[in-house]
Amino acid sequence: FAMNSLDADVRPLPTLLHFCQRYGVGDHDFFAKKKLPTDFFMCESPLLEEPGRDIGSGKYLYRRPPFLANKVKLSAEEEKREAFMICAMIGVLNEYALYFKNRHCGEGANLKKEISLHDLPE
């Protein structure tokens, strides 16, 4: 997962992230705060699906918004920014959900990473 290999000593991370839009890279990697299921922080809810390991690599200079056939072109810089935001938010939300589940759910915790925000209805 892309966020695990960042070295903040080499490349300092931003101190503030403002999630004011939808972020997407390629056909499937996507994050939109309003698409997060309302039951995400429940024991039965799965975690968010992690993006591909090659996100932000320059391989996907486009995004395909959910339920649309059109591709939106991205520059290499835009792809990296979108990829960073997707990885940061999915990583943090999964970390928070795991913290909750490890302390409150016991054996019934769903730890599968299978929620794709891209594929959820509006």
Side-chain angles (χ1 to χ4, degrees):
F1 183 52
M3 289 300 290
N4 294 336
S5 62
L6 291 176
D7 185 350
D9 292 331
V10 175
R11 294 195 169 103
L13 299 175
T15 56
L16 174 74
L17 296 176
H18 181 209
F19 293 96
C20 58
Q21 63 188 46
R22 295 169 167 227
Y23 301 94
V25 172
D27 292 313
H28 192 71
D29 292 319
F30 178 80
F31 182 82
K33 62 186 175 187
K34 292 185 178 182
K35 289 189 83 172
L36 189 69
T38 56
D39 66 348
F40 179 68
F41 290 104
M42 302 294 284
C43 296
E44 303 79 24
S45 177
L47 300 169
L48 296 171
E49 184 178 88
E50 293 179 344
R53 294 189 60 78
D54 57 353
I55 187 173
S57 67
K59 184 177 178 182
Y60 306 101
L61 297 178
Y62 69 92
R63 74 171 158 251
R64 187 183 310 274
F67 308 108
L68 298 175
N70 306 16
K71 285 184 179 180
V72 177
K73 290 183 181 181
L74 299 174
S75 69
E77 185 175 334
E78 288 171 320
E79 183 207 16
K80 283 184 183 181
R81 287 180 183 163
E82 299 267 325
F84 179 84
M85 297 297 274
I86 292 166
C87 291
M89 204 59 210
I90 288 175
V92 166
L93 285 168
N94 278 347
E95 186 177 331
Y96 292 164
L98 281 171
Y99 180 88
F100 169 81
K101 290 177 184 213
N102 288 334
R103 282 155 185 75
H104 301 287
C105 300
E107 298 288 322
N110 185 346
L111 304 179
K112 295 177 184 170
K113 295 178 180 177
E114 57 188 20
I115 295 177
S116 169
L117 296 180
H118 187 278
D119 298 336
L120 292 179
E122 294 294 321

